[in-house]
Amino acid sequence: MPADATAISLTTNIAELRGVGDRRAAAFRRLGIRCVADLLLHLPLRYEHELPEQSIDLINQAVPPEHGADRNLAVRGEVLTTRSRGSGRKGRFEATLHDGTGTILLTWFNAPWMREKLHPGATIRAWGRAKRWGDYVQMTNPKWEMYEEESPPEGRGERYRPVYPGHEELPSATIEKAVDEILTPALEKLEDHLHADYRKGAALPPLRDAYRMVHRPEDEEEIRAGRRRLAFDELLLLQLGVMLKRRHRRETLRAPALKHHEGMDQHIRTRFPFPLTDAQNAVITDLVADLTRQEPMNRLVQGDVGAGKTVIAVYAMLMAVASDHQAALMAPTALLAEQHLLSIRRMLEGSRVRIGLLTAATKGAARQELLQDLAEGRIDLLIGTHALLTEQVAFRSLGVVVIDEQHRFGVHQRATIRAKSGDPRSAPHVLVMTATPIPRTLSLTVFGDLDTSSIRSLPPGRQPILTRHVLPEKAPDVYRYVARRIAQGEQAYIVVPVIEESAAGLKDVESHHRHLAQGQLSQARLAVLHGRIGRDEREAVMERFRAGSIDALVATSVIEVGVDVPNATMMVIEHAERFGLAQLHQLRGRVGRGTKKSLCVLIAEPTTEEGGARIDALVSTADGFAIAEKDLAIRGPGELFGARQAGVAPFRVADLPRDLELLRMARRDAEAWVRENPRLLGERDALLKKRLLKAHGKALGLGDVG
Ligand code: ADP
Ligand code: MG
């Protein structure tokens, strides 16, 4: 046990603090708190605004006699009487409190335990809302604590009392006391990694002040200012890490600078069955600028479902092929890879471009031959799934890699594919495409190393998709309506959550297909599609659906990405509450691809608030960006887009999207910082660098940066 406060350092074990024995130290460890520094980093969840105590006499005069509004009050006094009335849920507990000037009534409803806790003679402090009832001013369900004479030396003025995250053995008040013990000596030893001149420019308080302000704020402004500094630090460290990583990659890796000229551009465009939109052309301009450089491109193209990203990928890949390099397109599902193969083959019919397909189903001799062709340059364009990432896959000269529907790939996979070019000092250009828009907030953090382009408008002639929520008992009406439109030549997708009958009582592909074939859709030509159907059959079904000889597909969510049949105008999703918001938006994106009016029906009986929120969000907007932001709000950032796989620690203080402005500032400053001092060398940035490596060195692989 340290003799005095000066013996407390940041590394002092928590067990050595006054009032913390072995048992309590173990309770602290459960929260990850082992030393003084950990305790300093253990920040309040929120604050209770404590009011200055008032004399009951004054309160009695001030609280109006009739129908006055509730007031927030704090009083201190001795409990005179207590009594319980009623029992169970209707019971209440009353106490009268006297402070020498007058008496006030305290009432707690539904709190039978109060009887054991509060007895006449106790001196307590109570605070909460008060209102006059007849002769008495009464506080209803006030908060309260035993008043200990010696505990608050400076008396009870207005203050913001921290509420620390704890657990049953370690309540907030105990943590508060421990923090009181260490705060002053710990702060003295805390060094700031930001320099005074920088801090002043950014209006950030010194680190010491910031910690004091969040632990022991004097007013709301201090809570805000302290939080702002600590949140900024977190965002800055992450941004610096991302920028250093990017800079390192740019300095050490080389990509083939691709050729590009007017003739090539014309040549590529003749392959597309339509003129590109302005939005598509703008993205291609970004791409061409990147691809003609020796720096490996690392670009994210965001565009809502159906925005037309495929042709952009094809453009980039054909630039590689025209420059005598290879290209690869990686998709998250075999179905999508196959669909890409078909549509790209159609586009390139009669050209010299040699295309291959590699999925988990490519096996045996066919696989060997494909791999050899690839290694020796007899394949120009390889389309596939995760299978592209396996070790045996080697290219002769990989110029461009397109990763479609990024959110299913983590950063590690991006790194693996980048290493496929053979030469350790060279890397292909990487283009990542996503239809599930990454909210701005996240694109700046987890994907902060990607340059981004967005396709903000859909190809011409699209009609908005009408989305409806329908309860299960009305499903027969929905299918009767679908049948009518099928009779007029339109097509439909019917999505159910599972392939086979399950215990959960969910609709499954097989029996729902049977049910519809014998019922409302008996006149329609139906087929089923799911992940367990072999490739040949799957391709055959898709071809027949595309050709119009199948009217409706009963499928699982395998059709979520990549299926593109403009004549399909109806989407029915059974048990829609079972699907994630982004997934529902993707599914809906399978319709509305042509010029006919499309419909999406969500059959659902949401049993949770979250499920209901997802359905509402989908019905109320068709904008993928808005949906992604809502998804973020409903689920929290950790769940989205591989943020977790990316290994980026969740923030302690920063909160997105609330701190978006701060994030922008961090990003701007990190960029400038790295430009000026790319390795963070020198005394001035030494501490910053140390803290950066500690926070993100491992996850971001910064080991070789400095
Ligand atoms: P995404 O991959 O962005 O979801 P796709 O590339 O599959 O979208 O394109 C969706 C549909 O829009 C396809 O049928 C495609 O042929 C069509 N399309 C794409 N670009 C255009 C365009 N500029 N004009 C007309 N139709 C287009
Ligand atoms: Mg696509």
Side-chain angles (χ1 to χ4, degrees), residues 598-620:
S598 289
L599 171 72
C600 174
V601 182
L602 308 167
I603 300 183
E605 196 160 24
T607 49
T608 63
E609 194 183 334
E610 221 189 288
R614 287 198 299 264
I615 304 283
D616 290 348
L618 211 70
V619 171
S620 64

Side-chain angles (χ1 to χ4, degrees), residues 98-120:
H98 184 76
D99 72 347
T101 70
T103 305
I104 195 168
L105 189 63
L106 310 178
T107 303
W108 287 269
F109 290 93
N110 271 328
W113 58 86
M114 285 300 298
R115 201 177 338 170
E116 312 301 323
K117 290 200 161 176
L118 201 57
H119 301 285

Side-chain angles (χ1 to χ4, degrees), residues 309-310 336 340 404-405 433 562 593:
K309 294 181 293 297
T310 313
L336 177 52
H340 275 322
D404 198 10
E405 303 305 343
M433 305 199 299
R593 300 190 150 233

Side-chain angles (χ1 to χ4, degrees), residues 212-213 216-227:
R212 204 271 304 145
M213 289 176 194
R216 296 295 174 263
E218 294 200 337
D219 50 36
E220 284 189 39
E221 174 52 26
E222 284 202 348
I223 297 173
R224 196 199 61 79
R227 243 202 91 257

Side-chain angles (χ1 to χ4, degrees), residues 240-248 674 678 680 692 702 705:
L240 274 174
V242 165
M243 299 288 167
L244 283 175
K245 182 78 186 165
R246 171 150 90 175
R247 172 129 197 152
H248 176 70
V674 170
L680 299 183
L692 167 64
L702 294 174
V705 164

